Amino acid sequence: MKKTTIIIGLLALLLTSCAGEFNRVFKSSDYTYRYEYAKQCFAEGKYQRAVSLLQDLITLKKGTDEAQESLYMLAMAEYMTGDYESASATFKKYHTTYPKGRYAEHASFYVGQSLFESAPEPRLDQTPTIGAINAYQQFMDTYPSSPLRAKAQERLFELQDKLVQKEYLSAQLYYNLGGYFGNINSNNESNYIASIITAQNALKSYPFSRWREDFSLLIMKSKFELAENSSEDRKIERYRDAEDECYGFLNEYPESKHCELANKYITKCKKVIGD
């Protein structure tokens, strides 16, 4: 018990000493000392301390080589602490301020990388995702021969897939809402139409997406349900459209596990149309 108490006391003393040293450096007017200490903190992975020191140094060292390095270290330290929004802005500031700087290429890449890390799940607002896509694209345009290009391209595909997934979830939601109201009414129709339009637009925007079959299936199902929920004066027209969509699905995906459903829809359409 006595030994444990001594160890805890030594640790507390060490932490107090470290904190005291940092405070002395932080308040010091010796900017070179602060700069070197910030570099040491960064190298030791004490990123939050590095951030605290570097935020002042980028102004105090303005016009020197240390200012350029301080700005890049600040951006990287923010990135390592998970403050991706600040990191993205600081990396962008570095690239704008030092377009030919020593770290310009990496800074440009990490603008996108920071936004990539903060990109939300597909159901949420995708503004950061779009920002990351634009940043990666700008990086690849500016540095077409960069060794980081392949990674940027890979990230770009991941982000685009997230946008596609969001469109699919939206189309799926409209489809689900179409059957929510139960009785045939205008709400059913408008939701099925919205599902069709959302899915069709996604196919036009992302023709080679891995979600292509899912969108096509949703269009087919929505068109059939739209026919089922139509008024008598539009039923025949919409059943014909649904039948055509089913044949189109079978032609494009002859090995799909949903072929049975397509054929089931075709049988029902033919009964109504009278072919």
Side-chain angles (χ1 to χ4, degrees):
M1 181 70 178
K2 188 174 181 180
K3 185 178 179 180
T4 303
T5 303
I6 292 172
I7 292 173
I8 292 173
L10 288 172
L11 287 173
L13 183 62
L14 179 62
L15 289 172
T16 302
S17 175
C18 290
E21 181 185 11
F22 174 77
N23 287 332
R24 284 195 301 274
V25 175
F26 187 76
K27 295 175 182 178
S28 173
S29 58
D30 186 342
Y31 302 145
T32 300
Y33 178 39
R34 288 169 66 176
Y35 170 69
E36 293 299 330
Y37 192 81
K39 287 177 68 176
Q40 181 183 332
C41 289
F42 184 86
E44 293 175 354
K46 299 173 183 176
Y47 299 115
Q48 194 57 60
R49 289 190 171 190
V51 168
S52 299
L53 292 167
L54 291 165
Q55 284 174 334
D56 285 337
L57 285 171
I58 59 175
T59 301
L60 296 170
K61 289 283 187 177
K62 189 175 182 180
T64 68
D65 288 340
E66 287 86 353
Q68 179 181 164
E69 188 167 15
S70 293
L71 187 57
Y72 180 74
M73 276 198 298
L74 173 61
M76 189 57 73
E78 289 170 337
Y79 179 84
M80 296 304 292
T81 60
D83 187 359
Y84 299 120
E85 184 177 351
S86 295
S88 176
T90 308
F91 280 122
K92 189 172 184 178
K93 180 180 180 181
Y94 177 94
H95 195 269
T96 302
T97 308
Y98 307 105
K100 302 294 183 182
R102 191 185 319 164
Y103 308 105
E105 183 177 321
H106 279 78
S108 179
F109 172 81
Y110 272 98
V111 173
Q113 185 69 14
S114 299
L115 290 169
F116 173 84
E117 295 291 353
S118 63
E121 62 171 296
R123 294 179 187 277
L124 302 177
D125 176 61
Q126 293 300 303
T127 299
T129 302
I130 295 170
I133 289 173
N134 292 335
Y136 278 131
Q137 191 62 63
Q138 185 174 355
F139 164 75
M140 291 189 293
D141 291 342
T142 307
Y143 305 99
S145 302
S146 172
L148 291 170
R149 181 182 175 84
K151 188 172 183 179
Q153 186 71 68
E154 179 184 336
R155 296 295 198 211
L156 199 61
F157 289 147
E158 289 181 49
L159 292 164
Q160 287 176 338
D161 189 69
K162 187 173 287 191
L163 293 182
V164 178
Q165 190 176 355
K166 181 174 178 61
E167 291 302 303
Y168 177 75
L169 291 172
S170 296
Q172 180 72 60
L173 177 62
Y174 283 126
Y175 175 81
N176 293 340
L177 288 173
Y180 177 78
F181 296 98
N183 298 323
I184 297 174
N185 57 46
S186 60
N187 286 323
N188 298 70
E189 286 197 16
S190 61
N191 282 316
Y192 288 127
I193 291 171
S195 178
I196 293 165
I197 293 172
T198 301
Q200 287 175 335
N201 288 340
L203 284 175
K204 290 177 184 177
S205 299
Y206 310 101
F208 306 109
S209 167
R210 66 185 180 91
W211 295 85
R212 183 173 180 81
E213 182 179 341
D214 298 276
F215 282 117
S216 298
L217 175 65
L218 204 50
I219 292 170
M220 179 180 73
K221 291 167 64 176
S222 296
K223 285 193 173 184
F224 179 80
E225 293 298 336
L226 181 61
E228 291 275 278
N229 287 272
S230 289
S231 57
E232 289 301 321
D233 61 318
R234 305 204 66 178
K235 268 188 181 296
I236 300 299
E237 169 197 348
R238 285 178 170 169
Y239 271 114
R240 284 200 177 102
D241 188 31
E243 184 183 22
D244 289 342
E245 194 66 41
C246 291
Y247 281 122
F249 183 87
L250 290 171
N251 287 333
E252 187 166 0
Y253 309 103
E255 305 298 324
S256 173
K257 64 180 180 180
H258 302 291
C259 288
E260 184 178 347
L261 178 63
N263 284 311
K264 178 182 176 181
Y265 284 166
I266 289 171
T267 300
K268 177 64 183 291
C269 289
K270 287 185 179 298
K271 283 184 180 178
V272 176
I273 297 169
D275 290 350

